[in-house]
Amino acid sequence: VQAVFRSNLSHLLELMGSGKESLIFMKKRAKRLTAQWAVAAQRLSQKLGAVQRDQKQILVHIGFLTEESGDVFSPRVLKGGPLGEMVQWADILAALYVLGHGLRITVSLKELQSNLGVPPGRGNCPLTVPLPFDLVYTDYHGLQQMKQHMGLSFKKYRCRIRVIDTFGTEPAYNHEEYATLHGYRTNWGYWNLNPKQFMTMFPHTPDNSFMGFVSEELNETEKQLVRGGKASNMAVVYGKEASIWKGKEKFLGILNKYMEIHGTVYYESQRPPEVPAFVKNHGLLPQPEFQQLLRKAKLFIGFGFPYEGPAPLEAIANGCVFLQSRFSPPHSSLNHEFFRGKPTSREVFSQHPYAENFIGKPHVWTVDYNNSDEFEAAIKAIMKTQVDPYLPYEYTCEGMLERIHAYIQHQDFCAAPGPAPPGTRAPQSPFVLAPNATHLEWAQNASVAPGAWPPAHSLRAWLAAAGRACTDACLDHGLICEPSFFPFLNSQDAFQKLQVPCDSTESEMNHLYPAFAQPGRECFLQKEPLLFSCAGSSTKYHRLCPCRDFRKGQVALCRDCL
Ligand code: UDP
């Protein structure tokens, strides 16, 4: 059956059920964004032309909202608790629905079991019950529940699962044996999935798939209104919980010299003591009213927490400048409670690295808050700068539809593993040294691996400087690391063509391989395909890095990826 774009979301709203505050929040959001989704669907449909799209049967099991995993989020929706996850799930549901797929949504174990066709109480039954879905979107909680209740089917069908995983899971933490042996200990991890099955909120490492969410896009009339309606001295503080204001008196004092400060901090009856009297606190606002507040404000200011949420993108989309603190040293699972136990060693250099690195000035200012002069100078400069509303394409409805369409169309983790293991040399090597002799590129006459996605001809490979991760090494060349290309590079031949002086070549399990170690002039190949990783570095190694191009504003997709 062909998938047909949908523009009416009322059936989706029915599918989403009711009761929980979290579901109510998500439904309101989906409803409010209906018109934007419809326009986006129309545009994407034109862009794709006559492309055949199969309708998939999809189960969306939102594990963190189940009572069985504690559902700590729903009771806090109206009390300043985190909303980012709900924003993302609402948008994923809307996107899948608008793309025209068959959807089932579950938020309890009972519903999950009945949809999986597992008789209740038969969780560990040894039979493999056929899975009536092509794809299952869930989270770490849901993954655990599926493992417990699917018996042997879990192993058979895990390649159909997609795990929505806000902060991401790096390959070293995903591989059970490797993580256990080398101390990549976490509360999550250890699932031995293809790392691309984990889907993140922001494009952290390309080892995972970037899922994202959307922010409302202003039309030209709205943009005009925003330009005219800005109060140049109005600031909104990022954060719904009073705790984030603790110890920020100094900054608030400086900011108060120049601007009128607004907050949206949840409170029960009295003003939270952390919020100074000179701040105009609106209390937690419904999402549309929060957007309206942002439209009037000049500045959206972060005090270091929450990390990497949707609100800064919304602020920038509504014409605010986002001011945030630089973290030095960077925060990570090694030194910060919030990230501890998360399956990543990513270093976070500011409150919102995406805003810093993908948007930047004039919309985003990242400064050292320990230096009051720098902080004050930034505020003064921001008051004088003129910015227009800005939303990166990948966070528009069309961008999200395009990306999810491409994933559904091309990502297949159930297919047998592709390229041969290292050591068995391909009869005809697909690479040549580029004319300037700095990197490898796909040979013009090489046959293109059929069905490979992203298409292999976009591959460029570099030997990175010692201590440089492939994520960064590729960005240095204006490209993005592409882990699915690692198998092409994992050979003596690639080192030879790059003229790397290997005295010896070993094949081992190490998430930094393939790599070259200068002392001893040793070359190392990767023995375990699940450990291919863009993330990770060690001063001991020059990593061999596969990079590719990407579409402007859509980093998840290469130019020929649609
Ligand atoms: N938000 C809201 N009311 C408010 C402040 C924020 O509805 O008073 C919404 C905002 O529109 C955003 C969501 O809360 O989409 C999540 O924002 P945040 O970046 O704070 O991330 P979180 O920490 O909640 O995941």
Side-chain angles (χ1 to χ4, degrees):
V1 185
Q2 277 265 86
V4 179
F5 283 102
R6 299 189 182 105
S7 56
N8 181 339
L9 297 192
S10 50
H11 178 54
L12 172 67
L13 300 180
E14 271 166 44
L15 285 174
M16 287 169 80
S18 57
K20 290 171 185 281
E21 282 304 334
S22 44
L23 292 174
I24 296 172
F25 175 89
M26 288 159 61
K27 284 169 77 168
K28 276 191 197 156
R29 178 174 173 84
K31 193 169 172 191
R32 190 172 67 249
L33 286 166
T34 298
Q36 298 222 343
W37 285 115
V39 172
Q42 213 172 29
R43 289 201 194 130
L44 182 61
S45 150
Q46 266 163 21
K47 191 166 178 180
L48 294 178
V51 169
Q52 288 272 329
R53 296 188 306 117
D54 289 337
Q55 186 187 48
K56 306 283 185 191
Q57 294 309 319
I58 299 178
L59 174 66
V60 178
H61 176 59
I62 312 179
F64 80 100
L65 293 183
T66 62
E67 299 302 327
E68 290 79 5
S69 75
D71 188 14
V72 290
F73 280 55
S74 299
R76 295 180 62 210
V77 167
L78 299 176
K79 299 191 171 189
L83 295 175
E85 279 79 1
M86 273 156 273
V87 165
Q88 190 182 27
W89 280 106
D91 296 347
I92 292 169
L93 287 172
L96 294 172
Y97 187 79
V98 167
L99 285 170
H101 298 295
L103 270 194
R104 281 299 174 88
I105 304 165
T106 58
V107 290
S108 75
L109 199 52
K110 226 170 108 190
E111 295 168 302
L112 173 69
Q113 286 175 319
S114 84
N115 276 287
L116 291 175
V118 181
R122 295 278 305 279
N124 293 322
C125 77
L127 304 168
T128 53
V129 181
L131 181 70
F133 298 100
D134 304 304
L135 283 169
V136 179
Y137 290 81
T138 189
D139 54 15
Y140 265 124
H141 296 284
L143 195 58
Q144 189 66 48
Q145 293 169 346
M146 292 177 67
K147 185 181 171 171
Q148 266 165 18
H149 296 274
M150 281 173 73
L152 291 179
S153 306
F154 182 76
K155 213 171 170 165
K156 181 165 177 200
Y157 294 117
R158 45 195 242 144
C159 57
R160 298 190 191 175
I161 298 174
R162 307 291 181 265
V163 183
I164 305 303
D165 171 18
T166 307
F167 294 95
T169 297
E170 290 175 5
Y173 295 80
N174 169 57
H175 189 274
E176 188 176 9
E177 184 191 341
Y178 186 74
T180 311
L181 280 175
H182 296 91
Y184 293 101
R185 303 210 57 88
T186 60
N187 309 331
W188 311 99
Y190 313 121
W191 286 91
N192 295 317
L193 297 179
N194 183 316
K196 283 273 185 197
Q197 286 175 266
F198 297 99
M199 306 189 122
T200 56
M201 188 120 170
F202 289 94
H204 300 309
T205 162
D207 296 311
N208 302 139
S209 300
F210 160 50
M211 169 58 78
F213 57 93
V214 306
S215 180
E216 282 159 79
E217 210 179 346
L218 306 193
N219 62 30
E220 275 314 311
T221 333
E222 287 167 324
K223 280 187 191 169
Q224 279 301 336
L225 278 172
V226 166
R227 276 184 207 114
K230 283 276 174 205
S232 65
N233 64 342
M234 175 176 166
V236 175
V237 174
Y238 182 12
K240 308 182 238 49
E241 268 178 289
S243 58
I244 69 119
W245 295 66
K246 240 199 189 118
K248 308 297 180 215
E249 299 81 10
K250 194 173 86 185
F251 307 116
L252 290 164
I254 297 174
L255 182 59
N256 190 44
K257 290 203 291 186
Y258 302 93
M259 300 183 105
E260 181 184 288
I261 308 176
H262 294 244
T264 61
V265 181
Y266 168 75
Y267 63 94
E268 229 131 65
S269 50
Q270 287 163 4
R271 177 181 200 86
E274 294 87 345
V275 180
F278 55 73
V279 172
K280 187 166 170 22
N281 186 24
H282 301 262
L284 182 72
L285 293 175
Q287 231 182 4
E289 285 172 42
F290 177 62
Q291 313 271 348
Q292 289 306 323
L293 187 70
L294 293 173
R295 285 190 190 187
K296 281 185 260 157
K298 174 77 185 179
L299 176 67
F300 190 61
I301 180 167
F303 286 131
F305 195 83
Y307 296 106
E308 309 186 299
L313 289 189
E314 294 167 4
I316 297 161
N318 283 295
C320 298
V321 171
F322 176 51
L323 174 62
Q324 62 165 350
S325 57
R326 170 164 293 125
F327 297 154
S328 175
H331 298 183
S332 76
S333 53
L334 299 176
N335 66 8
H336 262 256
E337 206 41 54
F338 180 86
F339 288 107
R340 203 179 305 276
K342 293 194 166 50
T344 167
S345 29
R346 186 168 61 99
E347 295 187 303
V348 176
F349 286 85
S350 60
Q351 184 174 2
H352 205 294
Y354 179 87
E356 180 184 4
N357 300 321
F358 287 75
I359 302 177
K361 277 188 179 167
H363 306 277
V364 180
W365 295 55
T366 306
V367 309
D368 177 6
Y369 281 22
N370 291 320
N371 180 338
S372 324
D373 293 338
E374 200 186 318
F375 178 74
E376 188 159 355
I379 292 169
K380 286 202 249 180
I382 287 167
M383 290 181 74
K384 281 186 230 143
T385 50
Q386 195 61 45
V387 296
D388 274 336
Y390 174 68
L391 181 62
Y393 178 73
E394 55 206 359
Y395 284 97
T396 64
C397 291
E398 187 185 340
M400 184 164 179
L401 284 181
E402 178 184 272
R403 190 165 62 246
I404 299 191
H405 153 74
Y407 290 155
I408 291 180
Q409 197 86 345
H410 299 289
Q411 286 186 332
D412 181 0
F413 306 115
C414 297
T424 55
R425 211 197 281 193
Q428 188 205 13
S429 165
F431 306 113
V432 291
L433 192 64
N436 64 4
T438 60
H439 64 278
L440 297 181
E441 47 189 42
W442 200 256
Q444 297 252 306
N445 59 358
S447 57
V448 176
W453 191 83
H457 62 84
S458 62
L459 169 64
R460 309 264 179 290
W462 271 266
L463 191 70
R468 200 96 179 119
C470 287
T471 41
D472 300 322
C474 290
L475 287 175
D476 292 343
H477 298 287
L479 299 169
I480 190 97
C481 178
E482 177 49 66
S484 64
F485 291 163
F486 269 118
F488 297 122
L489 281 185
N490 195 35
S491 69
Q492 284 189 354
D493 180 62
F495 281 110
Q496 240 163 47
K497 290 227 165 97
L498 265 173
Q499 301 169 341
V500 179
C502 313
D503 281 352
S504 65
T505 306
E506 304 279 348
S507 176
E508 288 170 17
M509 259 172 48
N510 185 321
H511 70 288
L512 304 177
Y513 294 171
F516 169 63
Q518 193 91 56
R521 313 218 305 182
E522 279 180 280
C523 287
F524 296 98
L525 301 179
Q526 178 62 265
K527 204 170 172 179
E528 169 53 64
L530 277 181
L531 282 175
F532 284 127
S533 175
C534 292
S537 66
S538 155
T539 48
K540 219 172 123 187
Y541 300 116
H542 293 263
R543 301 192 56 195
L544 185 50
C545 299
C547 314
R548 65 158 165 83
D549 59 37
F550 56 89
R551 290 165 173 259
K552 198 173 169 309
Q554 182 74 290
V555 72
L557 303 181
C558 70
R559 265 181 237 137
D560 296 332
C561 270
L562 260 193

